[in-house]
């Protein structure tokens, strides 16, 4: 018994010693491609080199960067030298799912690329929720909580990479009418009703009487019945989300309470019951957040392709330190709004071009500040500086 007690004591001491040593989790339990890569660096004891220390430090520091972008969005980044990692914060618009597509420069096809997606928790710390798998070229994420997210991209040790990051969104739900689409919408969210007494809490979609009304998401039926405004109605609780889907003015209901359905299942048929009795047959489609009321359903089903401003064909200054020819505003977001203005950069300020957008640049300053500037005149450092008043 005494020997067994000593053995347990030895194990406890060893565990405590290991737990006190500051070693990244990736060294012990690698999950993502980047963590497996980090584990290999530790096996080679590369972390003792200055280059590797810079690499690890940069990857950690960008998790605290606060530059924000609005989607849809495109940016071309430079990764390498003293800045092998970069990041961007964003929020996914309600009702949309995010598509993250990184595209390498052909000349850098042999350089490694790691992409990880984090949720910024209430205490400000990042929590990884997704990552780019090996041999995949897209990350898709659906976040109905409205969290601030952070995308980190990083290349390998002593490698350089020019990469374009494209962020677009798609609807989270399918269209609620079989064989119909956005061109059939006849009334939108917020339209006045009853002489302005109330506003429209949904959208109307015109279709012939008897057109199948379908489930826009997997879930189960929580309510069927009749009311004065909606006539014959169906409520669908969408699986894995806080949303309740409302179908109204139905000619008939073909489901019952408690029934489980999958996307595309017929729930009822288009009609004009309720207060739509004097109108042409159509579907009133609404979405309610449990505990928060109605939300605009249009983003949830709008499948029109988003427009993305094209990036510059050639990267003239990407990765270089240059001077701004004239004073220019520095912003914390790529929308260049006054609310996101950080400060004014003076004429001839030296900046490093970290990324480029259709109408501006991501830059870094000597004091560590990062931000966006709109398109402006730049010149190389080896040119003589004009000090004109």
């Amino acid at each position: 018994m005494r020997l067994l007690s000593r053995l347990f004591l030895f194990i406890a001491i060893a565990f405590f010693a290991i737990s006190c040593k500051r070693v990244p989790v990736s060294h012990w339990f690698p999950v993502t491609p980047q963590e497996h890569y980090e584990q290999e660096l530790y096996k080679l004891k590369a972390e003792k080199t200055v280059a590797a220390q810079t690499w690890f430090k940069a990857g950690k520091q960008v998790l605290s960067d606060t530059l924000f972008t609005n989607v849809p969005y495109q940016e071309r980044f430079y990764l390498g030298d003293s800045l092998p990692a970069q990041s961007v914060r964003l929020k996914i618009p309600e009702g949309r799912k995010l598509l993250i597509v990184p595209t390498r420069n052909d000349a850098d096809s042999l350089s490694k690329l790691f992409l990880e997606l984090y949720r910024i928790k209430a205490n400000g710390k990042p929590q990884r929720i997704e990552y780019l798998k090996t041999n995949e070229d897209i990350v898709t994420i659906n976040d109905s909580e409205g969290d601030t997210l952070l995308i980190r991209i990083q290349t390998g040790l002593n490698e350089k990479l020019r990469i374009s990051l494209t962020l677009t969104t798609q609807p989270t739900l399918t269209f609620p009418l079989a064989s119909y689409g956005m061109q059939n919408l006849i009334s939108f969210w917020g339209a006045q009703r009853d002489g302005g007494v109330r506003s429209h809490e949904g959208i109307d979609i015109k279709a012939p009487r008897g057109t199948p009304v379908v489930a826009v998401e997997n879930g189960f039926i929580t309510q069927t019945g009749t009311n004065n405004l909606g006539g014959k109605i169906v409520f669908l609780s969408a699986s894995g989300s806080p949303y309740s889907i409302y179908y109204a003015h139905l000619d008939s209901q073909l489901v019952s309470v408690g029934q489980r359905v999958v996307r595309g299942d017929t729930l009822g048929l288009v009609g004009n019951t309720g207060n739509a009795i004097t109108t042409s047959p159509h579907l009133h489609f609404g979405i309610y957040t449990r505990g928060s009321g109605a939300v605009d359903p249009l983003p949830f089903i709008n499948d029109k392709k988003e427009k993305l401003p094209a990036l510059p064909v050639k990267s003239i200054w990407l990765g270089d330190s240059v001077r701004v020819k004239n004073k220019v505003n520095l912003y914390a977001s790529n929308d260049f709004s006054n609310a996101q203005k950080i400060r004014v950069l003076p004429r001839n300020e030296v900046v490093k071009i970290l990324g480029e957008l259709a109408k501006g640049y991501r830059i870094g300053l000597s004091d560590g500040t990062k931000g966006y500037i709109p398109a402006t005149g730049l010149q190389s450092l080896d040119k003589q500086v004009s000090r004109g008043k």
Side-chain angles (χ1 to χ4, degrees):
M1 181 65 69
R2 182 175 297 176
L3 180 61
L4 187 60
S5 298
R6 289 179 178 177
L7 179 60
F8 279 133
L9 179 60
F10 175 79
I11 293 173
I13 293 173
F15 179 79
F16 178 77
I18 291 173
S19 63
C20 288
K21 188 176 181 180
R22 294 177 60 85
V23 180
V25 172
S26 60
H27 185 46
W28 298 103
F29 309 108
V31 175
T32 71
Q34 179 159 347
E35 289 179 341
H36 282 282
Y37 181 73
E38 290 174 358
Q39 185 186 52
E40 292 303 313
L41 293 180
Y42 276 100
K43 285 181 179 179
L44 297 172
K45 301 187 184 302
E47 80 280 5
K48 296 181 179 180
T49 66
V50 173
Q53 290 170 3
T54 299
W55 187 89
F56 278 107
K57 183 179 180 181
K60 183 178 180 180
Q61 284 182 333
V62 298
L63 293 179
S64 300
D65 282 356
T66 57
L67 292 191
F68 198 88
T69 188
N70 295 283
V71 293
Y73 149 95
Q74 273 194 116
E75 184 172 347
R76 185 180 293 129
F77 292 88
Y78 172 79
L79 303 176
D81 301 324
S82 61
L83 192 63
Q86 295 206 56
S87 70
V88 64
R89 294 192 180 210
L90 70 148
K91 285 190 176 184
I92 304 176
E94 188 169 23
R96 312 294 291 180
K97 60 182 177 181
L98 178 68
L99 280 67
I100 307 170
V101 182
T103 306
R104 299 166 179 266
N105 185 301
D106 290 339
D108 304 324
S109 59
L110 297 180
S111 297
K112 295 178 180 62
L113 167 64
F114 307 112
L115 186 151
E116 296 184 347
L117 179 64
Y118 295 82
R119 175 183 290 115
I120 305 302
K121 298 191 293 184
N123 60 7
K125 293 184 178 181
Q127 175 190 35
R128 193 187 64 235
I129 57 176
E130 190 54 273
Y131 59 92
L132 184 68
K133 276 77 171 179
T134 303
N135 299 323
E136 291 189 359
D137 54 11
I138 187 171
V139 175
T140 303
I141 188 74
N142 183 6
D143 178 60
S144 60
E145 301 301 320
D147 297 315
T148 296
L149 305 179
L150 181 143
I151 301 170
R152 179 179 70 181
I153 53 176
Q154 189 159 357
T155 192
L157 179 62
N158 296 322
E159 295 182 341
K160 296 181 180 181
L161 179 64
R162 290 169 178 81
I163 180 167
S164 299
L165 192 65
T166 302
L167 308 182
T168 56
T169 67
Q170 292 181 351
T172 56
L173 305 178
T174 58
F175 203 77
L177 289 180
S179 303
Y180 284 78
M182 294 296 296
Q183 69 276 11
N184 301 104
L185 269 63
I186 56 174
S187 182
F188 294 86
W189 169 270
Q192 288 190 354
R193 291 290 188 269
D194 298 335
V197 173
R198 63 184 180 89
S199 59
H200 195 209
E201 292 189 341
I203 56 177
D204 291 338
I205 309 168
K206 187 176 181 179
R209 185 183 308 278
T211 299
V213 172
V214 300
V216 294
E217 181 59 284
N218 303 338
F220 61 93
I221 305 302
T222 56
Q223 183 182 343
T224 63
T226 304
N227 63 47
N228 291 334
L229 290 178
K232 294 180 179 180
I233 59 95
V234 168
F235 270 100
L236 165 66
S237 178
S239 297
S241 80
Y243 300 113
S244 185
I245 315 300
Y246 178 59
Y247 303 82
H249 306 319
L250 304 181
D251 192 62
S252 60
Q253 300 127 315
L254 303 178
V255 289
S256 56
V257 174
Q259 181 177 338
R260 291 198 171 275
V261 296
V262 298
R263 285 191 178 206
D265 282 354
T266 299
L267 308 182
L269 304 176
V270 168
N272 63 337
T273 56
N275 70 347
I277 191 67
T278 61
T279 69
S280 300
H282 66 273
L283 171 69
H284 172 89
F285 181 72
I287 297 179
Y288 293 83
T289 303
R290 295 167 200 143
S292 301
V295 297
D296 185 359
L298 186 62
F300 291 77
I301 62 171
N302 187 356
D303 60 358
K304 291 184 178 180
K305 189 175 181 180
E306 294 173 331
K307 294 182 179 179
L308 281 168
L311 292 173
V313 176
K314 292 185 178 181
S315 299
I316 301 175
W317 306 108
L318 192 59
D320 293 337
S321 291
V322 296
R323 299 184 192 276
V324 293
K325 290 183 178 181
N326 301 293
K327 67 178 182 178
V328 63
N329 292 332
L330 180 68
Y331 298 89
S333 174
N334 68 331
D335 65 2
F336 303 116
S337 66
N338 287 333
Q340 296 297 322
K341 182 177 174 180
I342 300 174
R343 65 174 188 258
V344 178
L345 301 183
R347 179 185 179 187
N348 294 323
E349 178 84 358
V350 175
V351 303
K352 184 168 184 177
I353 305 300
L354 309 178
E356 53 188 4
L357 304 92
K359 297 181 179 180
Y361 302 95
R362 172 189 294 240
I363 60 105
L365 303 177
S366 59
D367 63 1
T369 301
K370 297 177 184 177
Y372 289 106
I373 59 173
T376 187
L378 303 172
Q379 67 181 26
S380 61
L381 296 183
D382 57 5
K383 286 192 175 182
Q384 186 175 1
V385 177
S386 172
R387 298 293 182 183
K389 296 181 180 180

